Amino acid sequence: QVQLVESGGGLVQSGGSLRLSCVASGNIFSSDVMGWYRQAAGNQRELVAQIDSGDSPYYPYYDSSLEGRFTISRDNAKNTVSLQMYSLKPEDTAMYYCNVWRRLSGGTNVNYWGQGTQVTVSS
């Protein structure tokens, strides 16, 4: 089992910055993909960014709407994943969730989720 605990959310003015952090406990494998999702009120949860621990050309991945404002990083030794957010906009307001995606045998996979941390950007 994997437990994820997020921190770093809060209230910030438009144009400001925040850094979200997520600590994973339990066994984290190098093949796990770690990432951040967000869910605004009334909307579906959406992928923000993902990162692996290898040299895959597919990672890090960022949602194209972010316009380069966010940076994801991972510390495999500490089992942490962070999301540095710059130039925040009111539309970035959402609950942000840490995620671990794990590929299982037989072609299946499992997702682990944190409880979320609220980010509110005021205009």
Side-chain angles (χ1 to χ4, degrees):
Q1 285 291 332
V2 173
Q3 292 80 42
L4 304 172
V5 179
E6 304 99 332
S7 62
L11 174 64
V12 64
Q13 289 187 333
S14 180
S17 301
L18 278 176
R19 183 177 179 87
L20 306 182
S21 295
C22 172
V23 179
S25 59
N27 292 324
I28 298 294
F29 305 134
S30 59
S31 57
D32 291 340
V33 177
M34 303 184 77
W36 292 91
Y37 285 70
R38 67 185 180 184
Q39 186 170 17
N43 290 356
Q44 292 186 335
R45 192 172 296 189
E46 61 181 12
L47 175 61
V48 176
Q50 283 182 315
I51 189 169
D52 72 347
S53 60
D55 296 325
S56 170
Y58 300 108
Y59 299 106
Y61 165 86
Y62 296 97
D63 182 84
S64 58
S65 68
L66 298 177
E67 302 175 328
R69 298 181 294 115
F70 293 7
T71 301
I72 191 170
S73 60
R74 175 173 176 167
D75 187 330
N76 293 319
K78 297 180 179 179
N79 284 347
T80 60
V81 61
S82 299
L83 186 69
Q84 179 67 54
M85 305 184 292
Y86 299 100
S87 303
L88 284 162
K89 305 176 181 180
E91 50 263 43
D92 294 316
T93 295
M95 184 72 79
Y96 284 70
Y97 296 91
C98 181
N99 169 266
V100 169
W101 181 88
R102 175 172 294 169
R103 182 182 291 110
L104 304 176
S105 60
T108 61
N109 58 78
V110 62
N111 280 285
Y112 298 100
W113 296 96
Q115 293 298 309
T117 185
Q118 178 68 39
V119 172
T120 303
V121 184
S122 62
S123 58

